[in-house]
Amino acid sequence: MEPGEGEEQEGTVEDAGAGLSAFAEALAATVGATSWSADHGIARLVVERDKWVSTAAKVRDEGMPFFSWLSAVDWSRDVEVGEQVEAPDDLDERFEVICRLSSVKTADAVHLVTELPKDDAQVPSLVGEFGGAEWHEREAAEMFGIDFPGNPVAKKHLYLPDSFEGNPLLKSYPLLSREVKPWPGTVDVEDMPSTENAEAAAQEASQEGEE
Amino acid sequence: MNFWLLLLIKVGLVLGVMLPGALVIIFGELKISAHMQSRIGPYFAGGRFGWAQPLADGLKFMQKEDLVPADADDRVYKLAPYVVLMGTLALFVVLPFGPETVARDLDLGIFYVLAVSSLSTLGVLMAGWSSANKYSLIGGLRAAAQLIAYELPLVLAVIGVAIMAGSLSLNDIVTAQANWQWFDTLPTWVNIIPPYMILQAVGLVIFLTASLAELSRIPFDMPIAESELTMGYLTEYSGLRFTMFFLGEYAGMVAMAAVAATLFLGGYWLPFVSDDVLNFVGPVVLLTKVMLIAFVFIWLRWTFPRLREDQLQTIAWKWLIPAGLANIVLTGFFKVVF
Amino acid sequence: MTQLDPRAAMHLSDAAVSVEIETPDMTLNIGPQHPSTHGVLRLVAKVDGERISSVDPVIGYMHRGYEKLAEVRTYAQITALVNRIDWVSGFANEIPFIAAIERLMDLEVPERAQYIRLILTEMARISSHLVFMSSYPLELGAATPLMHALREREHVLELLESVTGGRFHPNFNRVGGVKPAAGGGSTMKKQSQDLPAGFLAATRDAMDSVLAICDDLDRLVTGNELFHARTIGVGVIPTAKALEYGLSGPNLRASGVKFDLRKVENILPYDGIDFEIPIGQNGDCFDRYFVRNEEIRQACRIIQQAIDKIPSGPLQAKVPRILKVPKGETYVRAENPKGEMGYHVISEGGRIPYRVKIRSASFSNLSILPWILEGELVPDMVAIMGSLDFVLGDVDR
């Protein structure tokens, strides 16, 4: 499972990674992204909010017309359940809206990312360019509370009941059923074994493999 | 004989043929479809071969709760299943089971058959309207649209037979087929072939196609169409009323198959058998032919998908009606020439 | 009192007749419990007679919040969840998720495990497509193909069960390989560490009978004139629309796009295997049916070749007992029977992911419904929805 192997014909990891980087860099220059990165097989272009729609259209014209998905990530210090970010104090709290466009001839694909401040979470809708964005934006809107001006039905709940309040995928949103009764698995999660134990277990596992 | 006694016997006879006939076809459908689908089908009810399955189903339906939707037009809703069943039952009045075994030999036999058979569609429309359910309503309207489409081909198909036999009475039509003589140059065994099956083959095909539409059976079961309209006009029915529709469907199959057998396959007639014997053997002969036609209906049902309403109209108006008209012209032409 | 001229009255009545009657559209609520909605999809349709003027799909009756649940589960626990996304092909759902973890951890999976994954994925594809082969004619009113196709699917599921222990939810993949085959229990060391005896030969036989049922279905359905009448030219999706709405898998290929993730993604060893990508010409319901029919044959070919090529060796890479995924972010997609299935996994370095975005094929495939159903007839609605081949669990997640 070498990163980027799918994207490139070349054999070695380094070559594949380099190929992906070159691809991301060239594309970033063409469509005017503010920054780019290529890691673990995905090319990531960060674009400004104002250029969100126009960049997506440009990427489509660059030979990636397939609208794969659109979603968001909530980077937050206030985590009710689940994993905390590694260094919460340094974290720049924000939403990342990710839109993946890909080619249907080659393995080329790109993640367009725009960062939204928490207090002004809105980004223009892609519905005009990609009809399929409607449902994806509705999903992101109800799950994260992000506003998509231009999407005619962005405010209408897609999954949740109409009377539902809150945005469940926010990190600050508690999973109520877990508050009432802890999932048996959480015991497993919270009681982190010490590093020595983990290494010992790893050794044991490798010995078993040798048998 | 006393009129009332005779009436009672005749009603008993009609019911005695129709109900077991319908049950046998229901059982046949269960078993034949099972074997077509590499299943076994009913197996336990009744001890052997699951022969009592239709009866058991009927008993089960009777025990079900009889639901009437709150918004339903109560009286129409309750009347509809019986209208459907009556329309079918009334057909048996003129069907000849033997030279003299006939409830009432009307001179306008075919006319009566065609008129009464469309009565059950009225019941379907009533059911669709009164259920206060949109699916039922669409189903009922589809049935009405279907009636208009198939009724004309049905009539046109029959006219050919009427021209050849020179009569509208069903008994006379059977007699005409029995007395038919093929050319002398052919060996005598060809006389066992029912003549109208060959000479009116076009009419037979049109008649069977149109009766499939009348019976709302696949490929023309759009009024029910369970994948589109859940169960069409039957959606709200349950219990005994549903049983009546169910029975009406299969009794309708017996009736339409019997009409087709009488018109095109020689009805109760068996070659080289005298009329006295036919009075007793006739019903068996007729029912055998009915079962053959019913088998074709079942076979088609488990083979084909369903058509669309507009496609049915296309078939009826663009193919069946012109073919029926051409058949009439040709039949009339040969009737005059020979 | 003036006497009304009879001729004027006649004209009046003529005028009354020739005025077009304004009929308001009827709102027809299809679902959530309806035979053709495959579960709990609800369509609020405005119909004018039988013609649909607009339709508003209501989904979410089966929303289980897997993306939130994934944030409180360990990676190993999440594989049990993702099984249940598209329950008709549970095995195929696991592959991209496991592959995403393996990519983040930079793990090399033993080749034998990869081939086992490949064979079982293709089996899941066959079983999923056979469900389509059975349910699609049923929606058009033909009940017989159902039984024949499901009978063959049962053979395939039995084989899947003999390896994984589960018919629908195998939960068989482990990070770095596959679970040792079924039959063990808690005494890990005693159980067989490989495929059950005779599995490969039985699979070969099963593939022959699946190919035979494909031929049967061809005779019963594919060449049936009434089936043609219902499907050819119905529900045409042009290529541009298909791409815009993110249709993937057989639905995209039916619209004429020769693209299969099995050819471009490298998470399973498809590169050494020879198979065709069937595509359609018109993008109508018949093409979508036909592409799936052909894909079953290709899947059989793939499995037969994989059986020839499967090497011997270990089933598991060396993986630490306590699975910690390094910090990083990746997206791995695979060709699920329904289309592109992918997981966008963000790890912050711990034992549970920070965020998992599940890209399921049916969600995008279904999102085209309002566009494609506008102006269609109610019977065609059933034909079109059936041909998109969605599973509600895959839509709602």
Side-chain angles (χ1 to χ4, degrees):
Chain A
M1 293 309 107
E2 296 86 352
E5 197 181 89
E7 277 74 8
E8 286 297 318
Q9 307 294 319
E10 285 85 10
T12 65
V13 185
E14 288 73 24
D15 282 355
L20 188 68
S21 301
F23 166 74
E25 189 174 8
L27 192 69
T30 321
V31 302
T34 48
S35 68
W36 62 271
S37 63
D39 202 11
H40 294 296
I42 55 175
R44 242 174 89 98
L45 304 189
V46 180
V47 297
E48 281 163 29
R49 189 185 347 186
D50 313 338
K51 293 190 191 160
W52 178 243
V53 179
S54 61
T55 314
K58 272 185 207 158
V59 169
R60 179 186 59 195
D61 300 337
E62 285 295 310
M64 279 168 271
F66 181 76
F67 179 83
S68 185
W69 51 268
L70 181 147
S71 190
V73 184
D74 174 25
W75 291 104
S76 169
R77 284 181 217 122
D78 173 23
V79 177
E80 275 290 329
V81 288
E83 196 183 24
Q84 184 64 258
V85 290
E86 224 170 27
D89 296 336
D90 304 339
L91 183 75
D92 170 24
E93 283 206 325
R94 66 192 189 274
F95 286 120
E96 263 179 14
V97 177
I98 307 174
C99 167
R100 181 184 168 96
L101 297 171
S102 59
S103 161
V104 287
K105 293 196 178 70
T106 61
D108 290 349
V110 65
H111 287 212
L112 293 180
V113 180
T114 187
E115 291 175 352
L116 310 177
K118 285 261 168 141
D119 49 358
D120 180 25
Q122 58 167 315
V123 64
S125 169
L126 288 179
V127 168
E129 301 295 328
F130 300 93
E134 183 185 308
W135 280 22
H136 290 269
E137 284 174 358
R138 272 170 77 183
E139 186 189 358
E142 71 175 344
M143 291 298 171
F144 294 93
I146 299 171
D147 198 12
F148 291 90
N151 186 333
V153 281
K155 291 265 190 279
K156 202 173 145 196
H157 279 169
L158 184 67
Y159 290 129
L160 304 170
D162 290 340
S163 54
F164 193 93
E165 283 175 20
N167 306 102
L169 275 186
L170 289 180
K171 284 283 170 185
S172 57
Y173 194 87
L175 198 54
L176 272 184
S177 55
R178 293 291 162 270
E179 310 262 309
V180 178
K181 183 173 181 288
W183 167 251
T186 43
V187 182
D188 198 21
V189 175
E190 281 166 0
D191 291 342
M192 285 288 207
S194 64
T195 328
E196 297 91 68
N197 281 351
E199 276 166 8
Q203 271 178 3
E204 194 188 322
S206 64
Q207 277 166 7
E208 251 182 27
E210 278 155 18
E211 281 170 16
Chain B
M1 215 189 293
N2 185 335
F3 172 77
W4 293 109
L5 187 63
L6 206 60
L7 184 71
L8 208 65
I9 291 172
K10 283 175 173 176
V11 168
L13 187 75
V14 166
L15 285 177
V17 171
M18 188 281 292
L19 285 176
L23 288 178
V24 168
I25 292 184
I26 293 173
F27 179 67
E29 174 128 48
L30 293 173
K31 269 299 195 191
I32 292 167
S33 70
H35 284 281
M36 283 177 177
Q37 302 180 337
S38 64
R39 296 184 282 124
I40 295 172
Y43 194 69
F44 294 106
R48 280 181 81 80
F49 311 120
W51 65 270
Q53 189 63 43
L55 291 174
D57 278 347
L59 275 176
K60 180 194 73 184
F61 280 135
M62 280 176 211
Q63 294 165 23
K64 298 279 176 197
E65 187 187 355
D66 182 26
L67 275 172
V68 180
D71 290 341
D73 189 335
D74 207 43
R75 276 190 292 180
V76 181
Y77 180 83
K78 286 177 176 164
L79 190 62
Y82 302 100
V83 173
V84 172
L85 198 58
M86 281 319 296
T88 308
L89 277 182
L91 274 184
F92 286 88
V93 171
V94 292
L95 276 179
F97 291 96
E100 277 148 36
T101 322
V102 51
R104 186 86 189 173
D105 186 16
L106 289 177
D107 287 342
L108 283 173
I110 302 183
F111 187 76
Y112 172 85
V113 164
L114 295 172
V116 165
S117 66
S118 45
L119 203 66
S120 39
T121 306
L122 196 63
V124 169
L125 197 54
M126 285 164 66
W129 168 253
S130 64
S131 295
N133 180 317
K134 287 168 184 172
Y135 292 122
S136 300
L137 182 63
I138 294 179
L141 290 177
R142 281 183 180 188
Q146 221 160 293
L147 170 82
I148 297 165
Y150 68 71
E151 202 63 17
L152 212 48
L154 205 64
V155 174
L156 294 178
V158 168
I159 290 176
V161 174
I163 292 175
M164 290 201 72
S167 168
L168 290 178
S169 153
L170 288 174
N171 219 341
D172 289 353
I173 289 173
V174 176
T175 319
Q177 294 181 70
N179 294 337
W180 180 267
Q181 286 299 317
W182 295 90
F183 304 111
D184 296 339
T185 49
L186 295 172
T188 45
W189 63 261
V190 296
N191 285 328
I192 64 168
I193 303 172
Y196 293 176
M197 193 172 92
I198 311 292
L199 298 173
Q200 287 294 323
V202 178
L204 177 61
V205 171
I206 297 175
F207 190 90
L208 288 182
T209 314
S211 44
L212 276 177
E214 154 137 5
L215 296 168
S216 301
R217 281 184 75 82
I218 283 175
F220 303 120
D221 74 331
M222 291 76 97
I224 298 175
E226 76 279 354
S227 61
E228 298 154 24
L229 305 177
T230 52
M231 266 309 251
Y233 59 90
L234 292 173
T235 306
E236 296 288 356
Y237 281 91
S238 64
L240 201 56
R241 285 181 228 287
F242 180 78
T243 320
M244 289 297 149
F245 275 115
F246 194 68
L247 210 56
E249 185 193 334
Y250 285 91
M253 251 172 90
V254 181
M256 290 313 285
V259 173
T262 307
L263 292 178
F264 296 96
L265 305 184
Y268 58 79
W269 165 68
L270 203 63
F272 318 122
V273 176
S274 73
D275 276 5
D276 294 341
V277 183
L278 273 186
N279 264 333
F280 297 99
V281 186
V284 180
V285 176
L286 182 67
L287 281 179
T288 312
K289 292 175 179 172
V290 165
M291 293 306 158
L292 281 177
I293 295 178
F295 174 75
V296 174
F297 284 174
I298 293 171
W299 187 11
L300 290 176
R301 164 157 186 192
W302 295 101
T303 307
F304 282 127
R306 161 188 321 120
L307 277 174
R308 246 176 13 222
E309 197 64 50
D310 57 317
Q311 287 165 339
L312 167 74
Q313 305 284 345
T314 311
I315 289 174
W317 292 98
K318 287 195 179 161
W319 298 100
L320 296 185
I321 290 179
L325 289 172
N327 185 41
I328 293 171
V329 172
L330 278 177
T331 311
F333 177 73
F334 282 106
K335 176 84 176 175
V336 173
V337 171
F338 296 104
Chain C
M1 296 286 270
T2 53
Q3 193 74 31
L4 191 67
D5 181 7
R7 277 174 300 174
M10 210 171 70
H11 284 300
L12 272 178
S13 65
D14 269 3
V17 168
S18 64
V19 167
E20 192 144 322
I21 303 166
E22 284 278 323
T23 50
D25 286 355
M26 177 168 86
T27 305
L28 188 64
N29 203 355
I30 302 165
Q33 287 154 353
H34 186 274
S36 69
T37 53
H38 295 235
V40 285
L41 172 68
R42 177 175 158 219
L43 299 173
V44 183
K46 292 255 191 299
V47 290
D48 175 15
E50 289 220 19
R51 203 164 282 283
I52 296 171
S53 43
S54 74
V55 63
D56 178 19
V58 180
I59 62 172
Y61 288 94
M62 202 175 271
H63 185 58
R64 292 151 293 180
Y66 279 174
E67 291 181 11
K68 184 79 176 176
L69 287 179
E71 289 173 10
V72 296
R73 298 269 202 284
T74 62
Y75 289 97
Q77 289 169 340
I78 294 170
T79 58
L81 286 184
V82 299
N83 259 301
R84 285 149 178 81
I85 291 174
D86 169 10
W87 53 71
V88 182
S89 52
F91 190 87
N93 295 337
E94 297 175 11
I95 297 293
F97 183 70
I98 292 287
I101 303 171
E102 284 161 357
R103 186 178 285 182
L104 284 173
M105 294 178 73
D106 215 352
L107 273 177
E108 187 76 46
V109 181
E111 215 176 350
R112 185 173 176 82
Q114 291 210 21
Y115 271 93
I116 291 174
R117 283 180 183 178
L118 186 149
I119 291 174
L120 297 183
T121 307
E122 292 305 315
M123 280 186 165
R125 188 183 317 280
I126 291 174
S127 81
S128 168
H129 282 353
L130 280 176
V131 169
F132 172 80
M133 288 292 139
S134 61
S135 70
Y136 190 50
L138 183 71
E139 266 154 35
L140 300 177
T144 300
L146 174 97
M147 298 291 169
H148 291 277
L150 284 188
R151 187 191 62 211
E152 285 321 310
R153 172 172 173 263
E154 206 54 39
H155 294 163
V156 176
L157 286 182
E158 270 165 20
L159 286 169
L160 253 174
E161 187 185 5
S162 76
V163 182
T164 65
R167 279 156 47 91
F168 280 77
H169 305 307
N171 200 12
F172 184 62
N173 285 290
R174 296 289 178 268
V175 175
V178 294
K179 191 173 104 177
S186 55
T187 51
M188 286 276 286
K189 281 174 186 165
K190 280 182 188 167
Q191 81 188 39
S192 98
Q193 290 283 326
D194 208 347
L195 294 172
F199 169 77
L200 293 177
T203 308
R204 219 183 266 283
D205 291 348
M207 289 311 112
D208 289 341
S209 67
V210 168
L211 286 173
I213 201 69
C214 278
D215 292 341
D216 275 357
L217 287 172
D218 267 357
R219 283 193 290 273
L220 187 58
V221 184
T222 316
N224 190 319
E225 281 82 3
L226 299 190
F227 183 73
H228 289 176
R230 285 300 305 278
T231 53
I232 290 183
V234 172
V236 176
I237 302 179
T239 310
K241 276 286 166 194
L243 294 171
E244 189 185 314
Y245 279 89
L247 260 62
S248 51
N251 294 328
L252 182 64
R253 289 191 280 276
S255 294
V257 179
K258 202 176 176 104
F259 183 67
D260 192 318
L261 292 174
R262 286 176 288 179
K263 292 276 191 192
V264 297
E265 287 289 344
N266 223 354
I267 54 175
L268 289 179
Y270 282 106
D271 41 2
I273 286 174
D274 175 37
F275 67 100
E276 308 278 320
I277 307 174
I279 60 168
Q281 304 290 329
N282 310 315
D284 56 12
C285 291
F286 182 78
D287 281 352
R288 289 192 279 277
Y289 164 86
F290 190 76
V291 164
R292 291 196 177 87
N293 191 354
E294 195 54 36
E295 273 186 16
I296 298 181
R297 294 200 169 92
Q298 296 300 333
C300 291
R301 260 182 81 191
I302 294 172
I303 292 179
Q304 280 162 345
Q305 292 176 50
I307 291 174
D308 291 337
K309 299 180 80 162
I310 187 166
S312 54
L315 294 177
Q316 265 282 356
K318 282 171 191 166
V319 178
R321 270 275 169 84
I322 310 299
L323 198 70
K324 277 184 162 182
V325 175
K327 185 172 165 144
E329 168 175 353
T330 192
Y331 174 77
V332 174
R333 56 186 178 166
E335 185 73 24
N336 190 293
K338 304 275 185 291
E340 177 184 333
M341 174 115 204
Y343 297 88
H344 184 238
V345 181
I346 302 176
S347 169
E348 277 296 311
R351 302 175 63 201
I352 55 179
Y354 183 76
R355 165 112 172 89
V356 177
K357 154 73 189 169
I358 303 167
R359 195 273 183 205
S360 63
S362 300
F363 179 73
S364 292
N365 289 351
L366 200 68
S367 71
I368 202 171
L369 268 190
W371 180 81
I372 193 167
L373 287 185
E374 196 181 319
E376 298 286 348
L377 294 167
V378 172
D380 284 343
M381 173 201 82
V382 174
I384 292 167
M385 286 208 309
S387 75
L388 290 174
D389 188 26
F390 57 90
V391 163
L392 254 293
D394 202 24
V395 176
D396 287 352
R397 306 192 295 284

